[in-house]
Amino acid sequence: MRLFVGLTGCAWVMLLATLGVSGAAQAQSVASEYEIKAAFLLHFTDYVEWPHDARAESAPVVGICLLGEDPFGAMLDELVAVRRANGRPVRVQRIGSADAARSCHIVFVRHAQRAAEQRDLARLQDWPVLTVGDHEAFAAEGGVVAFRVENDRVRLTINQTAAERAGLRISSRLLDLARVVQ
């Protein structure tokens, strides 16, 4: 499925640069849903501040972890191999439990069974990690960022209360792109 990104201005430039394309028309014709979501995962580090002891900008490596199903495959690994986050290398880890997420800055959570997802999300809620889910209910259930697809566009829902509980500060530039819930 090919999708558009529901973004404007600098957000388009950010995603186009990540996807390695030179024009919006090309991006719309080549970017799949998960290519766009992978670009978002990488660029969240530019728009989120972590607490001092977990700062992505001071860590030698920025950790993006995938907990549960992996819809990205090798694409995310290939993307981070050629891109950096705040000038730092990015490491993608596939982890089997929430307890393994302590070294992660971003945790993408996706399970086939909602109960498993909710259990992992409950474990992660008080840690300084940006939790990202693959459906809108994820933010309402306590995740920080939820991807949703509307009219063939990838959009974001951000739970500001969940971000504050995790000690994260999200840039107003990113909040402007999202539906914000409390």
Side-chain angles (χ1 to χ4, degrees):
M1 171 186 256
R2 299 290 178 199
L3 298 174
F4 300 99
V5 181
L7 304 174
T8 59
C10 67
W12 262 111
V13 172
M14 173 181 79
L15 282 172
L16 292 173
T18 300
L19 296 172
V21 295
S22 59
Q26 287 177 314
Q28 291 171 357
S29 66
V30 299
S32 74
E33 175 182 351
Y34 284 98
E35 288 172 328
I36 294 168
K37 290 176 179 178
F40 269 117
L41 289 177
L42 182 62
H43 284 286
F44 283 148
T45 60
D46 296 331
Y47 298 96
V48 176
E49 289 182 32
W50 277 260
H52 181 70
D53 58 342
R55 288 182 180 255
E57 58 269 16
S58 62
V61 176
V62 175
I64 297 176
C65 296
L66 306 178
L67 177 57
E69 297 177 1
D70 175 7
F72 301 101
M75 171 195 5
L76 184 58
D77 299 287
E78 293 167 2
L79 179 64
V80 302
V82 297
R83 302 288 179 186
R84 292 181 170 253
N86 290 324
R88 294 185 167 39
V90 178
R91 177 187 62 225
V92 175
Q93 291 180 272
R94 283 138 181 103
I95 57 177
S97 73
D99 294 333
R102 290 194 183 273
S103 64
C104 307
H105 294 93
I106 299 170
V107 179
F108 179 83
V109 182
R110 180 178 167 167
H111 290 286
Q113 297 190 354
R114 199 70 164 262
E117 189 171 282
Q118 291 171 338
R119 180 195 64 233
D120 284 340
L121 188 55
R123 286 188 178 137
L124 295 170
Q125 284 183 337
D126 295 324
W127 294 4
V129 296
L130 179 71
T131 52
V132 181
D134 209 15
H135 56 85
E136 186 165 13
F138 186 82
E141 295 168 352
V144 178
V145 177
F147 290 125
R148 67 181 197 282
V149 177
E150 288 181 0
N151 300 321
D152 293 334
R153 295 178 187 266
V154 175
R155 304 222 186 235
L156 306 174
T157 299
I158 295 176
N159 182 329
Q160 186 102 11
T161 302
E164 291 169 6
R165 185 177 42 242
L168 306 174
R169 291 186 55 199
I170 298 178
S171 163
S172 61
R173 292 172 57 198
L174 185 58
L175 292 172
D176 286 347
L177 300 174
R179 177 186 302 157
V180 177
V181 297
Q182 299 294 321

